[in-house]
Every structure is written in structure tokens, then in C-alpha cells.
Amino acid sequence: MSTQTRARDWLRSHPLVVDGALAAAVLACMVAGAFAEPNGRHHPAWDIRTPDPLSIVLTLLAAGALVFRRRSPMKVLAATSALSVVEFVTGDPRAPVAMSAVVALYTVAAATDRPTTLRVGLLTMTVLTGIAMLAGPQPWYAQENLGIFAWTGMAATAGDAVRSRRDFVHAIRERAERAERTREEEARRRVAEERLRIARDLHDVVAHHIALVNVQAGVAAHVMDKRPDQAKEALAHVREASRSALNELRATVGLLRQSGDPEAPTEPAPGLHRLEELVGTFRSAGLPVEVARTDHGTTLPAAVDLAAYRIIQEALTNVRKHAGQEAKAEVSVVRVGPNVEITVLDNGPGDDAAARLEENGGHGLLGMRERVTALGGTCTAGPRYGGGFRVHAILPVKSGTASAGTTGTTGSTGSTAGTASTAAGSRAGTTPATTGRDAAASGGPTSTASTASTNKAAKGNPA
């Protein structure tokens, strides 16, 4: 910090010292004006005159009042104006006591608002100029009387200008500070959102693959002695699931690297085009999964495609973990108008489905809802009527938060709006899961018409 900056900060913290120095300077000017006469009688230059003792006293009092000009600007202005009026009436020759009133009027204009400055300035100008013209030995049009009018007007104008500029600079500084705070808050918000997104991805990846590894490891341990071939197959699935988990973790954690780090992830994000691959991992883990799709030909935004994939992955992982060994799952992806509807059903026991809400509601289901809400969709999850669990998500095909470049599923065009059940449930001898809008809204048992139409759709468009 420079010496000038330190001095300026010290003066700002000690305003009484500054006002005392200003009062001393004004006193020196008033004393010089009281004793000096610009047009001498015997010489063409300056001459010396002797003011009245009362004028000297008024000068000292007026200068002393200026020391408190910042604490009580109105009172100081009233005091200096009164002393100036007394000097106008009694002084012969006059002393420039009105100079203190000019400084006090400047302080009032700089410390208050414009309407107050106009009222107080006009009143001070009128009173001082009027009394100066009417009182005293000089004629009303004397130069000194007109000078009082000019000086008071300039003081009010200068004070108002200083106040306006100070307010303008303060407003600019406050706006800049507010913008800086806004940028910092926006940066913190973006960091929090990115952390939340990465946490969701890590949860989805780890929960899915660890659940599969756990199941296959249990199978291998159970059949190791009696059926070693099946144990080897289970261990192979464990190895494949762990490899997939490591690859996805590497891609997700790679997002946290700095821009200069090598081997940045270049693998595209998963989407519905990898749905069969995802379902195959669950089938290899012993979970029968049937898929029905009527979204062929629909191109989804990247964010929507990823959200749909993660929702199905999380829902099937929950089925594998909580629905029991005899559970079966059904997945449907349906294009309904401007939206795509994702439904995952299982036929697990009802009490386990109720417990699943309490056990999994902290992360998995919450993560699904966060993904869908961020895209402007809706997500519901809960027990089904008659047993089992149902996850239903509606995602907009044209998401305002997703980018245009997407990887969508392609195939034969066909859409059956409002149908989302699968045909394999009835073929397996279990109660087909109903995911249409009517059955989903009512929560009732599966309707025969909806099942028949969905079976027809599934046969015409194999997943």
C-alpha cells in the first residue's frame, strides 16, 4: 500500500481532523478578507483596513462552527447564516463571514438529497442576498451583494454535483459487487449440480454392477462343489460385470480430470441403443426381463437418452436386489405424443415393495426423480396393486436442457400410443404388467384389452 493510499484512508477514518483543517483554512481566508481592501484610496493596488472587533468575533465563531459541519450540517448552516446576517447589519466595513455560510451550504447539498438542496439553497440565497442588499451602508447593487448571491448558488450546485457523482460511483461499485457475487454463486451452483450429476452416475453404475457381481458370486459359491461348470459360468459373469463397472467408473471419473490430463474419456454416453445389452446383463444374472418398445424411429436428445437408460438400469437393479429370486421384470419404452414413457414393472411380493420405498428412497429413486425433473418430465414409483413394484417416467422428446446431437434408436417405424405392457409376462404364466395410461393411473389389475393390444405390438415390433 502506497503512502498516498494510507494517508487517504487515515483521513477518511478521522473526519474531524479534516473538518478542523478546513475550518482553519476558511478562518485564514476570512481574516485576510477582513483586513485587506482591494481598492485602496491612496494606491491603485491593495490596502489594509481595520475591521470592527465584533466582526473578528463573528469570524472566529463562524469558523469554529465549521468543525461540526458533517455531524450537524443543517445546524451549522443555520448558525453560520445567522452570524452572516449579524455581520451584514453591523459590520462597517464588512468582514467576509458569509464565506462560512457558503461552505456550510455546500456540505448540506453534498450530504442530503436534491429536493432538500433546492429548498434550503433557495432559502439561504434569498435571505442572505436580501439582507445584504437592504442592510449596511452600501447600495443594493453593490458588487459584494451580488457576489453573495453567486457564491451561495455555486455552493449549492457544487454540493449537489458532488453528491450525484458519489451516488453514481457507489451504484456502479455496488452493481459490480453484486455481479461478482452473482458469478460466484452461479459458479458454486454449477459445481454443486455437476457434483450431484456425477454422484448420480456413480451410484447408478456401482449399484447396477455390484448387485450383479453379488448375485453371480453367490451362485458360484453355491454350485462350486456340485456343478463346477455352472460355477465357472457365474464367475465369468462376475468378471464381465466387474470389467464393465471399471470401464464405466473410469469414464465417469475421467470427467473430474483437468483439461491437461491425458486419456480423456471419449466413449459416448450410454442410451437406449444399448438397452438390449443392459437387459442381457440382468438376464445372465438370473432375472427374466421382457422388453416391449414402440419408440422406433424416435431420435432422443442426449440428456433424455441417458436419463432413460439410467432409469431402466436403476429400476432393474432394484428388482434384482429387492424383489426376490422368483421375480420377473418387464420394461416398456413407448412414444406418446411429444413424450417418451419409460415403465419398469416387477411381480415381487407386496411387503418387499413397500420396504423398497423406505430402503431405496434415499438415493436411487431420488436420483431418478432428479434426472427426470431436470429435463422437465415426471417420475413416479411405488407398489403395484396386487403385488410388485412400478417405476413410471415421462420424458419430453424435445428437452430444453438437452443438446440437439443425440444417439437415438432406429428401426421400423411403429407407435402404439398408450400401450406399454409386454407379451412375455403372459407367456411365462405370470400376471402381465400393465403400464398404459389408464391402468397406471388407476393402479388396478391388468386389463385384458391392454394386454392383448400390447402383445400384438410386441410381436409386430420385437425388441
Side-chain angles (χ1 to χ4, degrees):
M1 183 181 297
S2 62
T3 304
Q4 183 180 1
T5 304
R6 287 197 298 268
R8 183 170 58 251
D9 294 340
W10 186 87
L11 291 177
R12 288 178 178 175
S13 60
H14 299 80
L16 193 62
V17 176
V18 178
D19 293 338
L22 177 63
V26 173
L27 176 62
C29 293
M30 289 191 295
V31 169
F35 283 90
E37 185 176 0
N39 296 319
R41 297 184 180 88
H42 306 288
H43 303 283
W46 295 83
D47 200 356
I48 298 177
R49 61 185 179 183
T50 303
D52 295 336
L54 181 59
S55 299
I56 299 299
V57 174
L58 294 175
T59 300
L60 293 175
L61 292 176
L66 292 179
V67 178
F68 309 98
R69 68 186 185 94
R70 297 194 192 186
R71 295 184 178 180
S72 302
M74 287 293 186
K75 294 180 180 179
V76 171
L77 176 61
T80 53
S81 298
L83 295 174
S84 300
V85 168
V86 173
E87 172 61 21
F88 291 154
V89 175
T90 61
D92 187 18
R94 292 175 178 173
V97 181
M99 184 181 298
S100 61
V102 171
V103 176
L105 180 59
Y106 166 83
T107 304
V108 170
T112 59
D113 52 4
R114 181 163 296 174
T116 303
T117 300
L118 291 176
R119 291 193 298 268
V120 175
L122 289 175
L123 179 61
T124 304
M125 291 169 58
T126 302
V127 171
L128 294 184
T129 305
I131 294 178
M133 289 181 175
L134 297 177
Q138 297 180 348
W140 67 270
Y141 54 84
Q143 183 178 359
E144 294 180 1
N145 298 334
L146 298 177
I148 294 172
F149 177 82
W151 279 106
T152 52
M154 287 188 296
T157 304
D160 182 73
V162 170
R163 178 194 54 78
S164 299
R165 176 169 177 77
R166 184 173 58 243
D167 293 344
F168 177 72
V169 173
H170 178 72
I172 292 178
R173 185 180 294 110
E174 183 179 1
R175 190 181 300 114
E177 293 175 354
R178 188 185 305 112
E180 183 66 23
R181 289 194 301 269
T182 303
R183 284 194 296 269
E184 293 177 356
E185 293 174 358
E186 179 67 15
R188 287 194 294 268
R189 184 185 66 81
R190 290 181 179 274
V191 169
E193 290 180 353
E194 184 66 15
R195 287 176 177 174
L196 182 61
R197 186 190 64 80
I198 294 175
R200 285 197 301 262
D201 288 341
L202 287 176
H203 173 270
D204 295 341
V205 171
V206 172
H208 164 59
H209 291 290
I210 295 302
L212 297 183
V213 168
N214 180 54
V215 171
Q216 295 293 348
V219 172
H222 181 69
V223 301
M224 180 66 71
D225 297 330
K226 297 181 180 179
R227 286 174 287 179
D229 294 338
Q230 187 175 353
K232 291 180 180 180
E233 182 181 355
L235 292 176
H237 289 307
V238 169
R239 181 176 57 186
E240 184 64 26
S242 61
R243 183 185 298 111
S244 299
L246 289 175
N247 291 335
E248 292 198 35
L249 283 175
R250 185 181 299 110
T252 303
V253 176
L255 298 175
L256 302 177
R257 293 173 175 165
Q258 300 296 328
S259 59
D261 292 345
E263 297 183 1
T266 57
E267 182 180 354
L272 292 180
H273 61 284
R274 293 178 55 184
L275 180 57
E276 282 298 327
E277 177 183 347
L278 174 66
V279 170
T281 60
F282 286 98
R283 288 170 179 163
S284 63
L287 175 64
V289 181
E290 296 296 337
V291 179
R293 299 184 64 176
T294 61
D295 66 321
H296 298 289
T298 301
T299 301
L300 298 179
V304 176
D305 201 20
L306 175 61
Y309 179 88
R310 292 302 187 192
I311 290 171
I312 297 173
Q313 182 186 51
E314 177 64 24
L316 292 178
T317 301
N318 292 338
V319 173
R320 178 69 272 181
K321 291 167 60 178
H322 302 285
Q325 296 295 329
E326 303 299 327
K328 298 179 182 181
E330 300 176 359
V331 178
S332 64
V333 182
V334 181
R335 172 68 183 272
V336 182
N339 303 320
V340 59
E341 296 189 7
I342 309 296
T343 307
V344 180
L345 305 171
D346 67 79
N347 60 347
D351 53 350
D352 188 83
R356 197 186 314 179
L357 278 175
E358 301 178 358
E359 184 175 346
N360 193 46
H363 299 286
L365 297 181
L366 179 60
M368 285 192 291
R369 292 192 183 98
E370 288 175 348
R371 286 182 182 275
V372 176
T373 303
L375 298 172
T378 58
C379 179
T380 57
R384 295 172 58 204
Y385 178 80
F389 202 81
R390 175 177 180 270
V391 175
H392 181 69
I394 301 177
L395 298 171
V397 175
K398 295 182 179 180
S399 173
T401 61
S403 58
T406 62
T407 303
T409 57
T410 59
S412 59
T413 304
S415 61
T416 308
T419 62
S421 300
T422 63
S426 59
R427 292 197 302 267
T430 61
T431 303
T434 305
T435 58
R437 291 198 172 201
D438 298 334
S442 63
T446 306
S447 63
T448 306
S450 176
T451 305
S453 61
T454 306
N455 291 339
K456 183 178 179 180
K459 291 177 181 180
N461 296 293

